[in-house]
Amino acid sequence: MKKLIVLFCLIFISIASFSQTLRMATYNLRFDNPGDSLNAWKYRHAYVSDLIQLYDFDIFGTQEGLKHQLEDVKNELKVYNYFGVGREDGKDQGEHSAIFYKSGKYQVVGQGNFWISPDTDKPNKGWDAACIRICTWGEFKELATGKQFFVFNVHLDHRGETARFEGVKLLLTKILEIAGKKPCILTGDFNFDDTHKGYAYLATSGFLEDAYLKTSVRFAPGDSFNGFRIRTEGNSRIDHIFV
């Protein structure tokens, strides 16, 4: 994949059934590509960890992270644990859609993975996708209150138009199947913005809403793809948090 990605989207979510704010983020870590030169992971990972610590996320979904990248973040930020599997083999191989969480605040009471494909149970490409794609999910219990909620995290295909839209339909089906009507958060790099039919499918589903539209404070331009450029223009959000 030639496009350079460092994507970051943060939203502070107050779920009605919770007594406190849940600090959520979606973060495309960019896979460890030596071709990124001075932007390569070995030069970046300490800053990534610093940023996470600065914003003090409770839970954040990651995209593109390889196993050693995830371990780097975990080792540098001891308050977090994570789960997720590599999309290539369902174990450690390939990019993950891992979910990090503060292990002192939340207990994982259930977790799983499914592939973005008609065959959701094993590694395989779906429809016209260029890559194997996976969604990781977890059911969390807030230790202080006992309240439970679900988090789903995904990275949709960057080339397959059919794969993106069919993937969105699959996501909503699986979320309703797994989480039912319980509180739910969907984070991810969707590779489409809010003008896409896939976005409309989720945002007008009657179940999920775009947290970006619900928040009272927004920081910086909405464009969430920057290619390592310091200055970005536009308002094309391809990374979303739905609640």
Side-chain angles (χ1 to χ4, degrees):
M1 188 189 305
K2 291 185 178 180
K3 66 177 184 177
L4 300 180
I5 316 172
V6 178
L7 306 171
F8 172 65
C9 181
L10 163 68
I11 203 78
F12 299 99
I13 300 172
S14 294
I15 300 178
S17 61
F18 283 76
S19 60
Q20 61 189 49
T21 298
L22 175 63
R23 203 176 281 232
M24 287 287 308
T26 180
Y27 201 162
N28 186 318
L29 298 174
R30 170 64 171 174
F31 78 99
D32 186 2
N33 180 1
D36 288 341
S37 184
L38 294 179
N39 293 310
W41 179 253
K42 65 180 180 179
Y43 301 116
R44 271 194 303 116
H45 67 80
Y47 298 109
V48 169
S49 296
D50 285 348
L51 184 147
I52 293 166
Q53 188 173 34
L54 174 68
Y55 282 102
D56 193 30
F57 306 133
D58 290 309
I59 300 173
F60 56 98
T62 65
Q63 301 87 39
E64 292 202 22
L66 302 176
K67 181 71 173 180
H68 69 277
Q69 294 178 272
L70 304 174
E71 288 294 313
D72 284 341
V73 174
K74 179 183 175 183
N75 290 335
E76 290 167 358
L77 299 172
K78 303 295 185 183
V79 299
Y80 294 99
N81 203 347
Y82 76 91
F83 56 89
V85 299
R87 69 188 188 187
E88 301 297 328
D89 65 352
K91 297 179 183 177
D92 295 335
Q93 188 67 38
E95 296 178 13
H96 295 55
S97 290
I99 300 173
F100 280 79
Y101 64 98
K102 285 187 174 178
S103 55
K105 291 185 67 174
Y106 304 97
Q107 177 186 354
V108 180
V109 297
Q111 62 175 281
N113 308 273
F114 57 87
W115 278 264
I116 306 301
S117 165
D119 186 351
T120 61
D121 296 328
K122 64 182 181 181
N124 68 112
K125 294 181 185 179
W127 304 283
D128 58 349
C131 302
I132 297 173
R133 299 290 177 176
I134 192 172
C135 178
T136 292
W137 64 269
E139 182 178 8
F140 292 89
K141 181 169 75 172
E142 186 183 40
L143 295 176
T145 65
K147 298 293 179 66
Q148 294 184 212
F149 59 98
F150 285 82
V151 175
F152 291 76
N153 179 54
V154 72
H155 188 185
L156 294 183
D157 202 65
H158 62 301
R159 291 185 181 172
E161 177 66 21
T162 300
R164 279 193 293 271
F165 187 58
E166 292 298 326
V168 161
K169 293 193 290 184
L170 175 65
L171 278 171
L172 190 57
T173 297
K174 295 293 283 187
I175 287 171
L176 291 171
E177 174 188 310
I178 295 168
K181 295 297 182 179
K182 293 180 181 177
C184 178
I185 302 160
L186 170 62
T187 64
D189 178 351
F190 291 81
N191 274 309
F192 58 62
D193 65 16
D194 57 356
T195 65
H196 191 272
K197 63 180 180 180
Y199 172 90
Y201 190 90
L202 291 174
T204 63
S205 64
F207 179 63
L208 294 172
E209 297 179 272
D210 183 357
Y212 183 84
L213 300 181
K214 296 182 70 64
T215 186
S216 59
V217 179
R218 302 182 183 95
F219 175 71
D223 198 65
S224 66
F225 175 87
N226 61 50
F228 295 124
R229 296 183 304 275
I230 295 174
R231 295 180 178 85
T232 58
E233 298 178 355
N235 196 37
S236 180
R237 295 181 290 116
I238 66 171
D239 304 86
H240 305 285
I241 299 176
F242 292 94
V243 297

